[in-house]
Amino acid sequence: GDSVTQTEGQVTVSESKSLIINCTYSATSIGYPNLFWYVRYPGEGLQLLLKVITAGQKGSSRGFEATYNKEATSFHLQKASVQESDSAVYYCALRGPFLSGSFNKLTFGAGTRLAVCP
Amino acid sequence: EAAVTQSPRNKVAVTGGKVTLSCNQTNNHNNMYWYRQDTGHGLRLIHYSYGAGSTEKGDIPDGYKASRPSQENFSLILELATPSQTSVYFCASGDADWGANYAEQFFGPGTRLTVL
């Protein structure tokens, strides 16, 4: 089946420094999956941060960006300058391409907890 | 913005007992989902529903039942709770997704269940 790997369980970054959270995926359906980053702030539910539906494109939101690299099967999340308010858990996720068997469900990575130090 | 609430937020149950987790959404979404998350794992889909009266099995349905009595409410039922079901449970809702555009899922804050 499909899988999503986030290698870091926790990342600590100083405020105003750059961030990268790694995400790689494996998808079994023919065609390219859709890719997402969700974020969960303390005490809240997950919320969609950004999405990229088309392979090779970049998504961005709230200063974060991620590029869908179909050759490397990666979708790393980056930010040039983090703030303390970015402290949260970040989840990479995929769903299968349109009309595939896995189109109607999300497959999540284990999440990466980001701690931003003042 | 969609509002998804879950109750209870924390629950301690005994092995063999019955547990019901409730989810309510106020944005009239057709689809609802139940996930669990364990340390070191991503969210995994237990059951989902396309509308009132419908329930479908997700990836890990064993030991769980689901009920969708109305558009707004979706329950997860553990008839005979076991310690292996100790986890954090998330409910989500979203519009029906018939095209190539993604219908975002909106998540509740989670329920922490401990089975002793």
Side-chain angles (χ1 to χ4, degrees), chain A residues 21-115:
Chain A
I21 297 178
N22 294 312
C23 172
T24 57
Y25 67 88
S26 173
T28 55
S29 300
I30 295 173
Y32 297 107
N34 306 155
L35 299 177
F36 311 91
W37 279 101
Y38 272 82
V39 59
R40 181 161 68 99
Y41 297 103
E44 299 182 12
L46 284 78
Q47 53 185 274
L48 183 65
L49 178 60
L50 58 85
K51 65 183 181 188
V52 179
I53 304 300
T54 304
Q57 299 208 343
K58 178 189 292 187
S60 61
S61 173
R62 307 182 217 173
F64 290 91
E65 60 180 34
T67 300
Y68 187 155
N69 186 327
K70 62 184 186 296
E71 289 81 19
T73 62
S74 69
F75 191 55
H76 306 320
L77 182 68
Q78 300 183 75
K79 191 174 186 183
S81 174
V82 297
Q83 303 170 340
E84 211 170 336
S85 58
D86 293 326
S87 297
V89 182
Y90 293 82
Y91 297 89
C92 185
L94 73 78
R95 70 166 186 176
F98 186 47
L99 299 179
S100 73
S102 58
F103 178 72
N104 65 346
K105 74 182 191 80
L106 291 171
T107 298
F108 285 89
T112 298
R113 184 177 298 276
L114 171 64

Side-chain angles (χ1 to χ4, degrees), chain B residues 40-97:
Chain B
H41 293 273
L43 280 72
R44 291 179 290 173
L45 184 64
I46 306 170
H47 283 288
Y48 59 101
S49 168
Y50 292 125
S54 106
T55 60
E56 306 289 336
K57 293 181 179 180
D59 295 326
I60 53 166
D62 292 345
Y64 302 93
K65 289 173 53 178
S67 173
R68 182 87 182 270
S70 65
Q71 181 81 337
E72 299 79 18
N73 295 296
F74 190 39
S75 297
L76 186 69
I77 303 154
L78 292 66
E79 295 278 5
L80 294 169
T82 69
S84 64
Q85 294 175 312
T86 294
S87 188
V88 180
Y89 291 84
F90 290 97
C91 175
S93 72
D95 282 326
D97 193 346

